Amino acid sequence: MSGPYVLLQFGDDPFTANFEDLEGRAAFTMYASESPTLVMRLTREAVWSQHHPSVMGPDNSFFYFGPRASPGYIAYGNNRTSIPMVITSVKNETGARASRYFTAQSGKDYKWRITPQRMECIDGRTTLAVWELSQPEDDFHARLTIKHSGIALVTEILTTLILNRMSHALNW
């Protein structure tokens, strides 16, 4: 498949939202554990990956929070390298966050352009993914469209999308 990949987000809470494809297959699922601090695991489901052979990258990412859900770090798969949860943010003229930057496992930098209803993951001038809130009549909360050029880092795109949403929910 060379066209865009569409995932529907069910649930508006970034800590419990799950993603399915248009055929109803589970694509990404969030799991939580609190012992002694909050740890979240985002899992790319095998049933979805098997239908998309060009999907690459780790199957899991882990969100290790600090005390009282303060920012901690992220780890991908079995990689021993951890990435701080604090994503560099740039505010617009009104003081609202307009862009957030993250560094992928490869060391390359990407940007999320953020508005209240939409977020875009960008590599230079190329849009890799777009997250948009649904319409009131939809039975899902949001739609994530991932372009073919973004599928190689799909787990990192989902991880940082969720981290952006967690950051907003926790007022980081």
Side-chain angles (χ1 to χ4, degrees):
M1 177 178 172
S2 62
Y5 300 78
V6 177
L7 299 178
L8 304 177
Q9 176 188 320
F10 290 90
D12 63 346
D13 183 343
F15 292 88
T16 60
N18 294 308
F19 293 82
E20 294 179 3
D21 65 14
L22 295 175
E23 289 78 37
R25 288 185 290 260
F28 285 85
T29 307
M30 290 291 290
Y31 300 94
S33 166
E34 277 196 57
S35 179
T37 59
L38 180 62
V39 177
M40 303 290 301
R41 182 182 79 210
L42 175 66
T43 298
R44 186 177 70 220
E45 301 295 341
V47 68
W48 182 76
S49 295
Q50 291 168 355
H51 284 88
H52 305 288
S54 58
V55 169
M56 299 174 66
D59 293 331
N60 296 293
S61 61
F62 298 89
F63 300 75
Y64 295 95
F65 289 86
R68 293 178 298 286
S70 63
Y73 62 94
I74 294 172
Y76 290 99
N78 294 328
N79 191 340
R80 292 185 180 178
T81 304
S82 60
I83 301 167
M85 278 188 186
V86 179
I87 300 176
T88 305
S89 58
V90 176
K91 298 182 186 261
N92 63 17
E93 301 79 38
T94 63
R97 284 189 207 118
S99 298
R100 297 192 77 157
Y101 295 82
F102 72 94
T103 303
Q105 293 182 95
S106 65
K108 188 168 182 173
D109 291 326
Y110 297 91
K111 173 171 82 170
W112 278 100
R113 187 179 312 153
I114 302 171
T115 65
Q117 302 292 316
R118 176 183 170 104
M119 286 191 261
E120 297 176 57
C121 182
I122 301 167
D123 176 11
R125 294 184 179 181
T126 304
T127 300
L128 301 176
V130 176
W131 178 87
E132 298 173 289
L133 286 175
S134 64
Q135 299 300 314
E137 63 272 8
D138 293 328
D139 63 345
F140 53 90
H141 178 71
R143 175 187 312 265
L144 176 65
T145 304
I146 305 162
K147 295 193 176 176
H148 188 69
S149 56
I151 207 66
L153 61 153
V154 67
T155 302
E156 291 169 290
I157 288 173
L158 264 288
T159 300
T160 56
L161 167 67
I162 291 167
L163 182 58
N164 278 320
R165 298 194 62 246
M166 287 175 171
S167 174
H168 177 75
L170 296 171
N171 295 313
W172 290 345

